[in-house]
């Protein structure tokens, strides 16, 4: 999906919501587990992951423009988990082809290894975007940038507490490490193929980020369960064509552990979509 197609979806849906599919068998409703065990016995993992994801996707698709399955939550279950990840991607492509798909895998290695990671996600899985760690430098990132209408989402300023350990450290000129990442990476790509991860918990720091990358899309985790403020993110981060994909995972997919979980997830997604529509109108985008 290219930039204009993504912007069109944002305006059409009046939403810049990304739903994170961090699917954990210890957190999904027991009714899903019981039904999967009834059908498949001890080999229930694949079915449980797929069924839960499909029901969440069906419930939230009207209110979001993107989905972000986190690879860690699938790799943890071995082959069954990887197959469930693949099946989820296939389901999205078949049933909801207009939705943007982000593989949250945080890859990045020496050039020949990154080339194979890129092949995996952009050829084999054919997702729209992949999160990438930039700290090994240019040759670890550029192999991901050789695909038309595919996106690299570089870690810049993340939402976790430990982000301050390295990302905010300054050089002798007062330039912070995340600012170096933003500036240097613009020599490798542009706002048509690079986005940046910026945590919603960083608040007013979005103002500093927009001084360096005024037009790039930002993938923003941390709204909801992690305490980030959508209003604050928009105040400092929204652009003339939105420039934001705000992710919510736990706050949507685990909003209920009862039989009504899909309905409640839809409600939570709709609430966020309504808030986003108000922000888009405030910014004059819709």
């Amino acid at each position: 999906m290219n930039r204009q197609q993504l912007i069109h979806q944002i305006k059409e849906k009046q939403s810049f919501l990304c739903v994170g599919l961090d699917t954990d068998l210890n957190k999904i409703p027991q009714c899903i587990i019981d039904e999967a065990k009834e059908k498949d016995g001890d080999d229930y993992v694949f079915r449980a992951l797929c069924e839960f994801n499909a029901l969440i996707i069906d419930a939230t698709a009207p209110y979001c423009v993107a989905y972000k399955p986190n690879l860690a939550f699938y790799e943890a279950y071995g082959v069954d988990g990887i197959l469930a990840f693949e099946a989820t991607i296939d389901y999205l492509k078949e049933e909801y082809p207009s939705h943007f798909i982000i593989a949250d895998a945080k890859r990045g290695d020496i050039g020949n290894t990154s080339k194979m990671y890129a092949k995996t996600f952009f050829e084999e899985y054919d997702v729209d975007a992949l999160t990438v760690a930039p700290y090994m430098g240019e040759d670890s990132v550029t192999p991901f940038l050789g695909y038309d209408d595919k996106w690299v989402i570089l870690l810049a300023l993340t939402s976790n507490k430990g982000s301050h350990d390295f990302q905010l450290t300054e050089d002798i000129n007062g330039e912070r490490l995340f600012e170096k990442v933003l500036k240097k990476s613009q020599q490798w790509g542009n706002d048509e193929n690079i986005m940046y991860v910026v945590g919603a918990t960083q608040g007013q720091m979005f103002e500093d980020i927009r001084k360096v990358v005024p037009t790039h899309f930002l993938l923003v985790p941390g709204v909801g369960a992690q305490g980030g403020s959508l209003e604050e993110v928009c105040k400092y981060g929204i652009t003339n064509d939105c420039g934001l994909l705000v992710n919510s995972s736990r706050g949507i997919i685990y909003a209920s552990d009862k039989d009504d979980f899909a309905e409640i997830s839809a409600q939570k997604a709709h609430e966020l979509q309504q808030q986003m529509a108000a922000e888009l109108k405030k910014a004059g985008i819709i």
Side-chain angles (χ1 to χ4, degrees):
M1 183 181 294
N2 63 36
R3 182 184 175 94
Q4 289 308 312
Q5 290 169 329
L6 178 57
I7 293 169
H8 174 75
Q9 287 302 312
I10 289 169
K11 292 180 178 179
E12 180 101 344
K13 292 277 189 66
Q14 298 189 16
S15 173
F16 45 97
L17 175 61
C18 174
V19 174
L21 298 173
D22 299 359
T23 307
D24 183 345
L25 292 181
N26 294 314
K27 294 181 179 178
I28 70 175
Q30 190 60 40
C31 60
I32 295 291
I33 301 292
D34 292 343
E35 182 180 338
K37 285 183 175 180
E38 184 178 335
K39 292 179 178 178
D40 293 341
D42 291 340
D43 297 323
Y44 70 92
V45 171
F46 171 78
R47 184 182 296 274
L49 293 171
C50 291
E51 287 294 326
F52 178 77
N53 283 354
L55 289 167
I56 290 290
I57 290 166
D58 290 345
T60 59
Y63 312 115
C64 69
V65 295
Y67 287 97
K68 182 175 72 65
N70 186 324
L71 263 292
F73 289 86
Y74 301 89
E75 293 170 338
Y77 298 107
V79 172
D80 285 341
I82 295 298
L83 291 174
F85 169 79
E86 293 182 3
T88 297
I89 299 301
D90 289 343
Y91 185 76
L92 283 167
K93 287 183 169 296
E94 290 168 9
E95 301 296 329
Y96 303 99
S98 66
H99 282 67
F100 193 75
I101 304 174
I102 301 167
D104 190 358
K106 299 178 180 70
R107 297 302 195 247
D109 207 322
I110 60 172
N112 61 337
T113 306
S114 283
K115 182 179 179 181
M116 299 310 288
Y117 280 140
K119 180 179 175 65
T120 299
F121 289 98
F122 292 149
E123 294 184 35
E124 181 66 23
Y125 297 141
D126 194 25
V127 297
D128 295 297
L130 175 69
T131 55
V132 172
Y135 294 100
M136 289 182 68
E138 180 180 7
D139 60 333
S140 72
V141 174
T142 50
F144 297 101
L145 293 169
Y147 292 83
D148 291 339
D149 298 337
K150 301 295 186 183
W151 297 79
V152 171
I153 308 180
L154 292 179
L155 303 179
L157 188 57
T158 55
S159 58
N160 60 305
K161 182 180 177 181
S163 65
H164 291 226
D165 290 344
F166 301 116
Q167 295 165 26
L168 295 181
T169 54
E170 299 180 2
D171 64 15
I172 58 173
N173 298 314
E175 186 173 67
R176 291 162 292 188
L177 181 57
F178 79 86
E179 291 170 320
K180 288 181 182 292
V181 170
L182 295 174
K183 291 176 182 178
K184 187 66 176 178
S185 60
Q186 288 181 79
Q187 298 174 17
W188 313 334
N190 53 51
D191 63 6
E192 299 276 349
N193 60 6
I194 292 180
M195 300 185 189
Y196 298 98
V197 176
V198 181
T201 54
Q202 300 297 343
Q204 194 170 348
M205 203 75 75
F206 278 82
E207 194 169 24
D208 294 342
I209 287 164
R210 280 304 185 201
K211 291 175 183 176
V212 185
V213 287
T215 60
H216 284 71
F217 264 85
L218 307 179
L219 174 63
V220 185
V223 166
Q226 294 184 53
S229 164
L230 178 63
E231 186 177 8
E232 194 169 47
V233 167
C234 292
K235 179 179 180 181
Y236 298 110
I238 203 164
T239 65
N240 291 335
D241 50 16
C242 184
L244 298 170
L245 287 174
V246 172
N247 182 79
S248 179
S249 300
R250 289 171 287 170
I252 291 177
I253 69 173
Y254 299 132
S256 171
D257 61 359
K258 305 294 191 298
D259 291 0
D260 66 350
F261 72 92
E263 179 184 343
I264 301 301
S265 293
Q267 291 176 11
K268 294 297 183 183
H270 190 201
E271 288 172 8
L272 271 174
Q273 181 271 322
Q274 290 291 290
Q275 294 172 38
M276 290 176 175
E279 294 292 344
L280 290 169
K281 288 175 183 175
K282 190 190 303 183
I285 296 169
I286 58 174

